Amino acid sequence: MRTLTDCLADAAAKRPDAPAVVFQDEMLTYAQLDERSSALAGTLRARGVSRGDRVGLWLRKSPESVVSVYAVLKAGAAYVPIDPSTPLDRAAKIITDCELACVIAQDEHLDWLLGGAPGVPASCLVVSVGAARPADDQVVPWSEAVGGPASGAVGAPPVTGMDTDPEQPAYILYTSGSKGMPKGVVLSHANAMAFVEWTVLEFGITADDRVSSHAPFHFDLSVLDLFATCLAGACLVLIPESQVGFGGVLNRVVVERGITVWYSVPNALNRMVTARNSELLGESSLRVVLFAGETFPLGPLRRLRELLPGAALYNLYGPTETNVCTFHRVRDTDLAQGRTEPVPIGTPCPYATAFVVDGSGTVVDPAPGVTGELCVAGPSVMLGYWRDPSLTADRFRRIALPDGTSVEAYRTGDTVRVDAGTGYAFLGRNDDMVKVRGHRVELGEVESALSEEEDVREVVCVAVADDSGEKRIEAYVVPRSPCTPAELRRRCLADLPRYMVPEAFHLVAELPRTASGKIDRRGLIGHR
């Protein structure tokens, strides 16, 4: 069975001089990406990183970050991407929970990593990117790690990752957790390859394509960007974090970089089609546009179709735990005037077994109109949650199928409806998890962070949709002592990623409750 490192080995052998990664004015060929990642893998091994270890990537998007991904995999370890803008306390939780053997980090994080930060053991190797500091027992500068004596590359056989087991962890992505602690989703090479190989075939990605990399590497959309592009021998166009939120800038990037395949959350495409220069998209080379992570409002989606009448538009669905498991190619009837229902999430991918269960966990007859929780089984489903067997057991269920067999399936927590001819329609969550700009957010984690404040007696968070259908988080706070929304926001920014910070804080005397005494979340909207 193939692994993610095989993608790079094959591309470097077949197309060594072809562009693998483009970032602003920088470019790496496949030969350079292969050589540098092998050298860095040699450094990691020589400095004690072994098969099965975890290596943190605390990096902004850059050619170095792509090199680091493949180096960690070649070393037989799993990469753990950390949001470059995440608060230090949250980074410490991830580092502690994952017991990282090494962190590859930007220079601005070095003093914190080396200064006795909580959860960072003195034995943790640090590869510094951009810092002008000498190597020592704990730190290896990037220049030495990829080509100097510390890399072990001189006179040593190339590191290829050939001893990697497809079933071993390849990466751990941390998502929001309801108990105030991020939870790590562990996915293997085999989990990712089931999705990646299908992606290349389904969307016809070839060596002539230029694929956007809009998603940050700690977000599961990046798996397609990184590995499907490499498997096809295509060129990956990295979009800097400073540009991802500006629709007009993204439109220029698409045209100027000749991007042919785009993948992002709908929010980014929404910004692009509502930008003043949206007509630029009509001049682009885009032939496939993929979106996932949240519902795409029909108005902007209709505008996208007008601008790109010849491009194939796809809605992809799947939680981090399953990779993409259903898909739907957008049809003209999905965008018909007068239609108000979002496009379906579609039919199962060939490698996924999907079915609907009722409240008791029994598979229901997939007749049109039937609703229930979507469950997914198959080779793309995660290994489990890192160091949390109870949560893993809770999310999986042995389900008896109508043919008399049974399967271990992941419970998505999403309610769907069976539609005739189009697979599934997404109806919503059956818990407190919401999607904000494509990111999974457990409202319980936001509430937990706020409840730690001494001047907060009670807090409840809700997700509110704006006129375009995009979700934002709002917090309702019963203060114990005087505080202001500005103070609460500032404290949240110190503990949570920016996308998890409520956009509005409402200070209220009490929270509305139902007859049974439970907090009336629905009644909160408009309760000031």
Side-chain angles (χ1 to χ4, degrees), residues 204-240:
I205 303 176
T206 71
D208 296 326
D209 279 308
R210 296 173 71 84
V211 182
S212 69
S213 174
H214 180 272
F217 289 174
H218 64 276
F219 193 14
D220 60 343
L221 271 66
S222 65
V223 174
L224 185 154
D225 306 344
L226 285 165
F227 303 115
T229 304
C230 188
L231 178 61
C235 177
L236 183 66
V237 180
L238 300 177
I239 300 175

Side-chain angles (χ1 to χ4, degrees), residues 257-452:
R257 295 295 185 180
I259 291 174
T260 59
V261 179
W262 176 273
Y263 187 32
S264 74
V265 293
N267 178 267
L269 289 163
N270 192 347
R271 292 173 183 268
M272 293 164 71
V273 301
T274 56
R276 292 182 179 180
N277 65 352
S278 62
E279 297 291 344
L280 278 177
L281 290 176
E283 305 170 14
S284 73
S285 300
L286 284 172
R287 65 174 191 83
V288 175
V289 177
L290 311 171
F291 52 90
E294 59 190 350
T295 300
F296 202 152
L298 279 181
L301 185 53
R302 291 188 181 107
R303 174 61 174 162
L304 181 63
R305 168 51 75 212
E306 292 172 0
L307 293 167
L308 297 170
L313 311 181
Y314 286 87
N315 184 21
L316 308 185
Y317 162 86
T320 302
E321 288 87 345
T322 69
N323 286 291
V324 170
C325 55
T326 72
F327 72 110
H328 176 78
R329 181 166 181 170
V330 178
R331 309 161 304 172
D332 290 342
T333 53
D334 297 323
L335 305 177
Q337 292 300 321
R339 179 187 171 102
T340 58
E341 188 170 331
V343 297
I345 60 173
T347 55
C349 300
Y351 50 79
T353 300
F355 39 83
V356 176
V357 300
D358 60 21
S360 66
T362 302
V363 177
V364 298
D365 179 19
V370 168
T371 64
E373 182 181 10
L374 184 64
C375 294
V376 181
S380 70
V381 178
M382 68 170 182
L383 298 179
Y385 294 106
W386 176 252
R387 289 176 50 180
D388 199 335
S390 62
L391 180 60
T392 301
D394 179 65
R395 298 310 303 171
F396 281 92
R397 178 179 292 174
R398 173 63 61 175
I399 296 178
L401 301 178
D403 63 3
T405 62
S406 65
V407 65
E408 192 78 10
Y410 174 76
R411 300 165 50 216
T412 66
D414 289 336
T415 300
V416 299
R417 183 187 66 241
V418 178
D419 281 353
T422 57
Y424 302 112
F426 176 78
L427 300 183
R429 292 290 300 175
N430 58 20
D431 58 22
D432 290 334
M433 195 277 284
V434 298
K435 288 289 187 73
V436 178
R437 296 188 292 278
H439 294 276
R440 293 170 53 173
V441 177
E442 293 277 5
L443 295 179
E445 183 174 359
V446 185
E447 292 169 352
S448 177
L450 279 167
S451 65
E452 293 293 324

